[in-house]
Amino acid sequence: MGKAIARRLVKGGHDVNIGSRDAARAAACAQEIGAAGGGENAAVAAGQEVVIVAVPHASQAATLAEIRDRVGSAVVVDTTVPLVPPKVMRVQLPAEGSAAMQARAALNPDTRLVTAFHNVAAHRLDHADDVIECDVLCFSDDVEGRNLVVGLCGDMGLRGLSGGALANSAAAEALTSILIYMNKTYGADGAGIRFTGLVSAPPIP
């Protein structure tokens, strides 16, 4: 998911740096997609306007701890979905209510946290020229930060929509397991959700 998002942001004209626990791996990924550069997570997170975290749920806490004191005033976008293998088609939200609430607790209180990209298939997103028939819901208690991420979605050829407060992220996180089930049951290749009847929403790309 991280590489797919980065690839689309590069295509949309943004300067992108890739972070990883392995600096060499990050640099190789950056070269592959035409990003500005790559390095270890903590180093790359410093001085950015937006930091996007795309890791499995099992790595969420450790990754956020790495960058917590480096992100400053950046908008931190967490894409984490709390899937619990092997039963990934079953909704299993954590005791805190959502991965978003776990991220909120893991980061500094003043960090500008947004969650998004829960319901977009990574393998579809990674084809930067593909049309993605799926809306991207963005959640945050920081309205300005949330709107910024909605705008980034547009730059990526996607339709971003405000999903409201950070607590609402639980609904999109749960929906991921349902979409995985739908993919298997109905033979889909990256099922998604699109909202209709939204008069003032951004246009569908």
Side-chain angles (χ1 to χ4, degrees):
M1 177 63 80
K3 184 171 73 170
I5 291 172
R7 190 190 302 278
R8 285 191 174 245
L9 287 172
V10 168
K11 183 180 179 183
H14 291 275
D15 290 329
V16 176
N17 289 277
I18 305 295
S20 173
R21 288 172 295 179
D22 183 334
R25 184 180 178 187
C29 180
Q31 183 175 17
E32 176 188 342
I33 67 173
E40 293 183 354
N41 287 328
V44 170
Q48 305 296 333
E49 294 181 32
V50 178
V51 175
I52 299 176
V53 178
V55 296
H57 185 228
S59 301
Q60 181 195 34
T63 303
L64 294 178
E66 285 184 75
I67 68 171
R68 178 176 54 218
D69 296 324
R70 306 300 298 273
V71 296
S73 61
V75 172
V76 176
V77 185
D78 189 2
T79 71
T80 305
V81 175
L83 298 176
V84 183
K87 297 181 178 180
V88 295
M89 292 186 291
R90 180 177 298 179
V91 176
Q92 300 180 76
L93 295 176
E96 294 87 346
S98 65
M101 291 297 101
Q102 291 180 315
R104 179 71 284 167
L107 293 167
N108 291 322
D110 59 346
T111 300
R112 304 179 65 194
L113 176 62
V114 179
T115 67
F117 300 104
H118 308 98
N119 306 137
V120 185
H123 71 282
R124 297 289 306 278
L125 198 63
D126 199 35
H127 296 281
D129 294 324
D130 282 6
V131 175
I132 306 295
E133 296 180 346
C134 176
D135 290 329
V136 177
L137 291 172
C138 306
F139 306 93
S140 183
D141 297 329
D142 181 330
V143 175
E144 183 180 351
R146 188 169 69 211
N147 290 339
L148 185 152
V149 179
V150 167
L152 287 178
C153 289
D155 295 343
M156 295 168 62
L158 307 168
R159 185 169 76 158
L161 296 174
S162 171
L166 190 68
N168 291 354
S169 182
E173 294 174 28
L175 187 58
T176 301
S177 291
I178 297 171
L179 289 171
I180 295 172
Y181 172 84
M182 301 294 277
N183 284 331
K184 182 176 181 180
T185 302
Y186 296 101
D189 182 29
I193 297 293
R194 175 145 282 172
F195 289 82
T196 63
L198 306 180
V199 176
S200 59
I204 295 174

